[in-house]
Amino acid sequence: MARPGTSPDPSHAGGAPPAPQHVAIIMDGNGRWAKAKGLPRTAGHERGVEALRRTVEAAGELGIQYLTVFSFSTENWRRPADEVNVLFGLLKAYVQRDLARLKDDGVRIRVIGQREGLPADIASLVDRAEAETAGNSRFFLTIAFNYGSRNEILRAAQAYAASIAGNPQAEPLSEAAFSRFLDTREIPDPDLVIRTSGEYRISNFLLWQAAYAELLFVDVLWPDFNREHLESAISRYHERERRFGTVGPGGT
Ligand code: IPE
Ligand code: IPE
Ligand code: MG
């Protein structure tokens, strides 16, 4: 595999705008992909892992520095136990199979979401992946697993409260200070959030962090997602005008 982040798209040399620094993806549509092919939903999840591999590689090549993917939500526990088990098994297999290569490629892996409640083997694997890649800084892959934004914000509020307990001189809480209690404390806010599968919702993903992200909803089902889809998403991102609450160029 080309090393993520080492070979930015050569077209950038010609003055094309740089890729968004941080792209986040709601990887949706595995079940429908499988159903359309008469396969069990789990076959869609398996193919979804292939799409993830492709996307990590393409993101690095296209000059994206941070890629965050929504892999299992706090609400996904409502699915049948068999499907939940398959999803956990696929995360485990992905980390076990890809960790050495990602590590060699300079990828820093982070897993965001509630660690409590994860099976012990998964939790220790995730800890290991984070520890073994902690020195890497070429490309930042963040996997949202057992992640829900409301859960994250609640845990942050609890951690903040614990940090000031018994301290009457505590500084008033600012947005920046609160951000440091979130799971994403070390990564910048996403510039672009993509959701596949034609659904127009955020489903409890990065609610705080995506306050000013550009949102892109595409019809492709996640197992079919490829480099061309990512390139097209970046082109569409470049057509957007980000205002952050101010007025457009020339005061329009
Ligand atoms: C995304 O695909 C994977 C997870 C949410 C874990 P889905 O499993 O949600 O696929 P659809 O939406 O049912 O097609
Ligand atoms: C969002 O997809 C979560 C992940 C992609 C992991 P879902 O398929 O769970 O979202 P809803 O239920 O359709 O909103
Ligand atoms: Mg879905």
Side-chain angles (χ1 to χ4, degrees):
M1 139 178 178
R3 301 172 74 184
T6 50
S7 49
D9 186 343
S11 66
H12 294 161
Q21 182 189 31
H22 182 180
V23 174
I25 307 183
I26 302 173
M27 310 185 289
D28 196 18
N30 295 351
R32 277 163 283 168
W33 182 92
K35 190 173 177 205
K37 296 195 154 40
L39 298 168
R41 292 178 58 83
T42 50
H45 297 316
E46 281 162 20
R47 291 296 287 265
V49 178
E50 295 305 316
L52 174 62
R53 284 199 179 94
R54 281 198 297 276
T55 304
V56 171
E57 177 161 351
E61 289 171 1
L62 293 170
I64 292 164
Q65 255 190 295
Y66 292 81
L67 178 71
T68 300
V69 292
F70 201 4
S71 172
F72 186 85
S73 77
T74 45
E75 289 71 33
N76 288 146
W77 287 103
R78 297 172 185 157
R79 296 187 179 203
D82 284 355
E83 181 168 343
V84 171
N85 287 337
V86 166
L87 290 166
F88 278 71
L90 285 172
L91 175 77
K92 195 173 164 184
Y94 173 70
V95 175
Q96 281 172 335
R97 202 178 127 185
D98 288 40
L99 177 58
R101 188 173 44 80
L102 291 169
K103 187 179 167 185
D104 287 350
D105 287 346
V107 177
R108 178 155 187 188
I109 300 173
R110 289 189 180 92
V111 177
I112 57 170
Q114 185 167 295
R115 214 47 80 83
E116 200 178 278
L118 289 185
D121 58 336
I122 303 248
S124 64
L125 186 64
V126 159
D127 286 346
R128 202 182 100 207
E130 290 186 332
E132 285 193 15
T133 62
N136 284 347
S137 57
R138 200 180 294 279
F139 184 82
F140 298 87
L141 172 63
T142 302
I143 302 172
F145 196 87
N146 198 22
Y147 176 86
S149 222
R150 289 182 171 187
N151 169 276
E152 179 194 31
I153 292 168
L154 199 62
R155 285 186 289 105
Q158 288 161 344
Y160 168 70
S163 78
I164 59 158
N167 176 9
Q169 264 103 52
E171 295 276 311
L173 186 58
S174 65
E175 291 182 10
F178 186 69
S179 295
R180 290 196 284 274
F181 288 91
L182 294 170
D183 296 348
T184 50
R185 64 184 72 83
E186 290 175 307
I187 56 180
D189 286 343
D191 299 295
L192 172 65
V193 176
I194 303 169
R195 182 176 188 140
T196 59
S197 90
E199 303 293 350
Y200 299 100
R201 54 180 174 267
I202 294 298
S203 300
N204 204 9
F205 187 48
L206 301 179
L207 298 180
W208 172 285
Q209 299 87 341
Y212 265 103
E214 295 299 323
L215 306 180
L216 186 65
F217 300 95
V218 296
D219 286 336
V220 59
L221 301 172
W222 177 249
D224 290 328
F225 196 83
N226 61 27
R227 183 191 168 107
E228 284 67 46
H229 296 114
L230 186 61
E231 285 177 319
S232 153
I234 295 171
S235 302
R236 291 178 63 189
Y237 169 82
H238 284 137
E239 290 162 10
R240 305 280 179 90
E241 183 199 322
R242 300 187 78 185
R243 288 192 173 185
F244 299 102
T246 181
V247 292
T252 53

